[in-house]
Amino acid sequence: MKHLFFLMALIAIGLLGSAQNWQKTNSGAIVELNEAQIEIRFFSPEIVQVKKWPNGKTFTKESLSVTKKPQAV
C-alpha cells in the first residue's frame, strides 16, 4: 500500500512539473496541460481520485465508488 501511495505521489509531482498551469486545492491540485485538465484529490493516504477531461469542457460526474469526503492537504 505504501508503494502505491509513493507511485501516485511521483505521478502527481511529474504532472505538476510538466504542467503549463496548475492550481492547489484543499484536497489536491488541478493541472492544466495543452489538451486536458487533470484533477488529483486525496481522500486519505490510501485513496486518491484522478479525473481527466478535455480543456474547455466541464466534468461534474461524481464517483459512486468513493463515499468518503476529501481531506485537506
Side-chain angles (χ1 to χ4, degrees):
M1 200 48 92
K2 289 181 182 179
H3 292 91
L4 179 62
F5 180 72
F6 182 70
L7 177 64
M8 291 302 295
L10 285 177
I11 291 170
I13 290 169
L15 287 173
L16 293 176
S18 66
Q20 291 183 358
N21 190 17
W22 68 280
Q23 173 184 0
K24 183 178 183 285
T25 63
N26 288 338
S27 58
I30 296 177
V31 180
E32 184 178 327
L33 302 173
N34 288 332
E35 66 282 340
Q37 290 187 353
I38 300 172
E39 181 179 6
I40 303 166
R41 294 171 66 186
F42 292 91
F43 288 84
S44 73
E46 295 85 21
I47 303 171
V48 179
Q49 181 183 51
V50 179
K51 296 189 279 186
K52 180 179 177 181
W53 63 93
N55 280 338
K57 306 282 183 179
T58 59
F59 187 84
T60 56
K61 183 178 178 182
E62 293 293 324
S63 172
L64 299 176
S65 61
V66 178
T67 58
K68 190 172 185 174
K69 300 291 181 200
Q71 293 181 346
V73 293

